[in-house]
Amino acid sequence: MLEKIPHAVGEALAGLKAGLEKTAYHASFGDVPATISVSSRAFADEAPMPARFTEDGAGVSPPLAWRGLPQGAHSVVILVEDADSPTPNPLVHLIVWNLAGTDDALPEGGIASPNGPGVHLNLGRNSFLRDQYLPPDPPNGHGPHRYVFQVYALDQTLDLPASPGRTALLDAMKGHVLAKGRLTGTYARG
């Protein structure tokens, strides 16, 4: 959808970005130990994401693995935010909650997306109000966007209604996050 924005408009908006400091990783859970290792077979930390995981490609979710969960972890939350969206707050690309509290991984396409069913998971609403992976779709000319794949270990499972949004998720997580980790992939158009 945003690929249709003219390059000049993207350039004009280049200075408008939510900011890394507004991601949940920094704003809500900045004091939580960052001891979880998060990785992907598809891209390295701070490196470009292949187009197949974006709106310009197949739009499927990338493979993701996490290791080093602390003792006492009962569940895992995955939150993906675009730190550079031209919005007041980061754009939410994915919410997954109540995964098993163990080291684990998700395969490529393992999360429901516009182009694939994925596996059955507890999914929350992305910024487009859909319970699925929202493929990166930055405006032309806006520059590289940082997509922060955040993994949180919690001391309990979350009691949330179906399809929670970012605010409900973060409120439920407060006081229960034992550790965190992140992987950042970048993507740009034009």
Side-chain angles (χ1 to χ4, degrees):
M1 175 171 35
L2 296 180
E3 72 276 4
K4 295 181 184 351
I5 291 178
H7 192 275
V9 173
E11 283 182 338
L13 294 173
L16 178 61
K17 297 183 183 215
L20 198 57
E21 70 281 356
K22 289 187 179 178
T23 62
Y25 194 86
H26 295 287
S28 298
F29 305 110
D31 59 343
V32 171
T35 56
I36 299 172
S37 171
V38 183
S39 63
S40 177
R41 289 179 284 117
F43 59 94
D45 189 34
E46 302 289 337
M49 295 172 58
R52 73 178 177 272
F53 305 117
T54 74
E55 193 64 33
D56 293 329
V60 296
S61 61
L64 194 65
W66 51 96
R67 302 281 177 264
L69 266 68
Q71 187 173 355
H74 287 280
S75 69
V76 167
V77 167
I78 299 172
L79 174 63
V80 181
E81 295 177 294
D82 177 358
D84 298 305
S85 61
T87 54
N89 291 304
L91 204 67
V92 174
H93 284 260
L94 178 67
I95 293 173
V96 183
W97 51 287
N98 282 354
L99 290 170
T102 59
D103 292 352
D104 207 347
L106 290 170
E108 180 174 321
I111 300 169
S113 70
N115 298 316
V119 295
H120 178 71
L121 299 170
N122 289 317
L123 298 176
R125 286 188 318 273
N126 62 36
S127 288
F128 285 13
L129 305 179
R130 296 196 173 113
D131 297 346
Q132 61 186 14
Y133 171 71
L134 176 63
D137 186 20
N140 283 305
H142 196 250
H145 280 222
R146 292 168 292 177
Y147 298 90
V148 185
F149 291 75
Q150 305 157 67
V151 175
Y152 298 96
L154 279 63
D155 64 4
Q156 67 175 27
T157 55
L158 296 177
D159 183 20
L160 287 165
S163 190
R166 181 182 190 266
T167 300
L169 175 77
L170 298 182
D171 286 348
M173 291 171 62
K174 284 186 180 151
H176 299 288
V177 181
L178 300 172
K180 66 181 180 180
R182 64 155 187 80
L183 170 70
T184 303
T186 64
Y187 192 69
R189 280 198 180 112

